[in-house]
Amino acid sequence: MTDNPFRIPTDAEIADAESRLNFRFPDQYIRFLKGGSDVANAAFEPAVILGECIHLDIFAITETAWAQGVPRDWLPFIEDNSDYFCISEAGVVRYWSHNGSTDESWPTFAAWFEQVCIALE
């Protein structure tokens, strides 16, 4: 466990998280993690892979989301009141509502970031 779950993770820590989750992080998501996971003025906080930040712990978030029906080939990286932004290993991002799957998706992490975090749409 680390004393600062909000610091930039190392390559080894990212690899460890991928191993623990049995999920290969897409390159754009890794750049996001290494860039400090800054979601600008968005109204949510991204999950962290370091330490045990209770409400942002990616391991707890994924366990809960997967138990609620989010497919295991989608990694929830943001949780907001039992709704999730998830990413696939191919880098596609989709929104999963607490009511189930939605049609909201973005072809790349960069497209999601531009629309949701920068343009705030």
Side-chain angles (χ1 to χ4, degrees), residues 26-44:
D27 290 341
Q28 289 182 349
Y29 182 62
I30 291 172
R31 282 194 295 276
F32 177 70
L33 291 171
K34 288 180 162 187
S37 306
D38 184 8
V39 291
N41 295 319
F44 42 72

Side-chain angles (χ1 to χ4, degrees), residues 65 68-71 80-86 94-104:
Q68 292 175 350
V70 172
D80 183 37
N81 293 320
S82 296
D83 296 332
Y84 302 94
F85 284 102
C86 305
R94 72 191 257 196
Y95 180 73
W96 185 276
S97 166
H98 62 275
N99 293 321
S101 183
T102 72
D103 292 334
E104 290 183 77

Side-chain angles (χ1 to χ4, degrees), residues 3-34:
D3 57 355
N4 181 3
F6 301 106
R7 69 174 170 75
I8 306 294
T10 66
D11 289 337
E13 289 165 334
I14 291 170
D16 180 61
E18 289 176 308
S19 177
R20 287 179 58 191
L21 292 165
N22 194 27
F23 191 93
R24 187 190 60 77
F25 296 165
D27 290 341
Q28 289 182 349
Y29 182 62
I30 291 172
R31 282 194 295 276
F32 177 70
L33 291 171
K34 288 180 162 187

